Amino acid sequence: EGGYYECFESKEMIETDVDDTLTKEEIRKKIFREQFEKIILLERKLRLITGIGITLPVVEVSLFDDKGDFYSCMTGSIPKFSIVEVRDYNDDLKKKLSHNLQLRINDDAIKELEEKNLRFKRALDFYASSFDSTSIRNRFILLFSSLEALFNISKEDITNELSEYSSKILFLSRKKRKSVRYKIREYYKIRSGYIHGDFDYPLTIEDESILRGYVREILIIYWNISTTYRIYDPQE
């Protein structure tokens, strides 16, 4: 009746060995937990790759025995929704999505860096969570929290550290790097103003989009450097 939804389905069955001593309910919970974690990672990865707040709100896992007969089924939901509306899906967003989806990131590579560098895990958590709030201010603050997780090492001059390292890691020309450094410094002043209640700057969707673009690229480049050169120490 006019209601539609998009879904992902596994192309192939996933084989899992289970202990014969487990009960049916224990098997159900074990496999569902494993698959649910993969779905959460997929959502986080899609948000990183696309730069769009894609949400996977419902998960269904069907189980079959070794003979291929139906065994059980479990469903679960994630209590959040996408703030991207159908009317937002214009030509610019389609072009952006088409371009960004050329990137491929292996699940294991993401998990490995998260396990070895908790700062990166925290940064990716903040970035992924920044899509969920309906408040542009909250989204803005979470994006900066992502940068702070990566670069606020010495805890001395946070504004300088964030703007310096954020602009350097993007591998821009000197002129563009200077422009990004200035932009990050100005945005961080706005963020601090909101946090401490000093002033009320009218943030725009464009401001958030620019900052989100920086944070997304920084996370991807940070991941790429860490993975390529096997660098896991945040300070290094």
Side-chain angles (χ1 to χ4, degrees):
E1 299 297 324
Y4 301 91
Y5 63 90
E6 298 288 347
C7 69
F8 290 99
E9 289 186 0
S10 297
K11 287 185 177 180
E12 300 176 355
M13 299 288 283
I14 301 169
E15 292 188 7
T16 303
D17 292 326
V18 295
D19 192 329
D20 291 338
T21 62
L22 296 178
T23 66
K24 183 174 182 177
E25 186 60 24
E26 288 173 334
I27 291 174
R28 278 162 41 92
K29 288 182 177 180
K30 175 183 181 297
I31 294 179
F32 185 77
R33 183 175 62 251
E34 292 172 353
Q35 298 308 313
F36 196 77
E37 289 175 355
K38 289 182 179 180
I39 297 300
I40 296 296
L41 177 60
L42 174 60
E43 182 183 272
R44 284 152 52 88
K45 196 171 73 167
L46 283 172
R47 291 182 170 197
L48 178 61
I49 290 174
T50 65
I52 299 171
I54 294 172
T55 299
L56 306 176
V58 180
V59 180
E60 178 182 284
V61 180
S62 297
L63 283 66
F64 301 84
D65 62 22
D66 54 357
K67 297 178 182 178
D69 297 327
F70 180 78
Y71 183 76
S72 183
C73 179
M74 291 188 72
T75 60
S77 60
I78 303 171
K80 56 185 175 182
F81 58 92
S82 174
I83 62 173
V84 180
E85 298 182 0
V86 174
R87 62 184 177 187
D88 297 325
Y89 196 55
N90 53 29
D91 289 339
D92 288 340
L93 191 57
K94 290 178 183 179
K95 184 177 179 181
K96 173 184 175 182
L97 183 61
S98 177
H99 175 269
N100 290 353
L101 280 174
Q102 297 176 52
L103 178 66
R104 295 289 183 270
I105 298 180
N106 181 273
D107 286 7
D108 291 336
I110 286 284
K111 289 192 291 186
E112 180 184 24
L113 184 55
E114 286 188 326
E115 290 169 0
K116 294 182 177 180
N117 185 339
L118 291 179
R119 279 183 171 270
F120 176 80
K121 183 180 188 306
R122 207 171 298 131
L124 186 55
D125 283 341
F126 285 133
Y127 172 79
S129 298
S130 71
F131 290 96
D132 296 327
S133 176
T134 57
S135 166
I136 189 173
R137 297 177 184 178
N138 291 345
R139 298 198 299 269
F140 202 77
I141 290 169
L142 283 169
L143 287 170
F144 263 113
S145 295
S146 182
L147 294 182
E148 288 183 273
L150 292 181
F151 300 135
N152 183 17
I153 305 294
S154 68
K155 305 187 187 307
E156 293 179 359
D157 187 344
I158 298 177
T159 305
N160 185 61
E161 277 195 333
L162 294 190
S163 60
E164 185 68 19
Y165 292 127
S166 294
S167 58
K168 277 189 174 182
I169 200 172
L170 292 172
F171 293 96
L172 302 170
S173 66
R174 179 176 296 182
K175 183 177 180 180
K176 289 183 177 179
R177 186 167 70 240
K178 184 178 180 181
S179 175
V180 171
R181 185 166 61 243
Y182 173 79
K183 200 78 172 176
I184 294 292
R185 291 182 71 90
E186 290 303 302
Y187 279 162
Y188 193 73
K189 289 179 183 177
I190 295 171
R191 171 264 180 207
S192 298
Y194 283 140
I195 291 290
H196 303 296
D198 294 337
F199 59 90
D200 190 16
Y201 181 86
L203 270 175
T204 66
I205 294 296
E206 184 181 6
D207 290 328
E208 183 202 357
S209 178
I210 291 172
L211 179 60
R212 185 174 298 284
Y214 290 152
V215 176
R216 172 185 172 272
E217 288 188 40
I218 287 167
L219 284 168
I220 291 171
I221 294 172
Y222 188 102
W223 164 80
N224 195 8
I225 292 173
S226 297
T227 303
T228 302
Y229 296 100
R230 318 304 289 177
I231 299 173
Y232 303 112
D233 181 350
Q235 181 67 57
E236 189 177 353

